Amino acid sequence: MATSKIVAPLCLMVLVFGLCLPKAQSQDVCAGVERPDPETIPCTINCFVPDPVCGTDGVTYSCGCLDAFCHGVDVVKEGEC
């Protein structure tokens, strides 16, 4: 019985932290990618190798972080939405 009193709060902490984790990871997904000047958005992106990322708008940007940034969107995760 004492174990369940300890495990339940730990499970809740893992669940809450797990829900917050994608936001923390999204910052790392685009680490080192410079955001374009807001005056140049939308900007032209030409990519030779697809590098899909999922934007906060639920759209997959096939040319990576810069592609999403040029559309004025933050990135949620690597890969397709």
Side-chain angles (χ1 to χ4, degrees):
M1 240 188 310
T3 305
S4 65
K5 288 182 180 181
I6 295 171
V7 172
L10 288 175
C11 290
L12 181 60
M13 288 172 47
V14 169
L15 178 63
V16 169
F17 183 71
L19 292 175
C20 297
L21 192 57
K23 286 186 180 180
Q25 285 180 335
S26 70
Q27 294 172 352
D28 293 337
V29 170
C30 297
V33 178
E34 218 174 294
R35 289 184 178 268
D37 181 9
E39 293 181 16
T40 62
I41 294 175
C43 48
T44 304
I45 299 295
N46 295 317
C47 64
F48 298 104
V49 179
D51 182 24
V53 294
C54 181
T56 54
D57 59 355
V59 173
T60 299
Y61 293 91
S62 60
C63 291
C65 294
L66 188 57
D67 189 10
F69 293 162
C70 283
H71 285 91
V73 177
D74 287 326
V75 174
V76 176
K77 65 175 188 149
E78 290 184 49
E80 297 181 3
C81 295

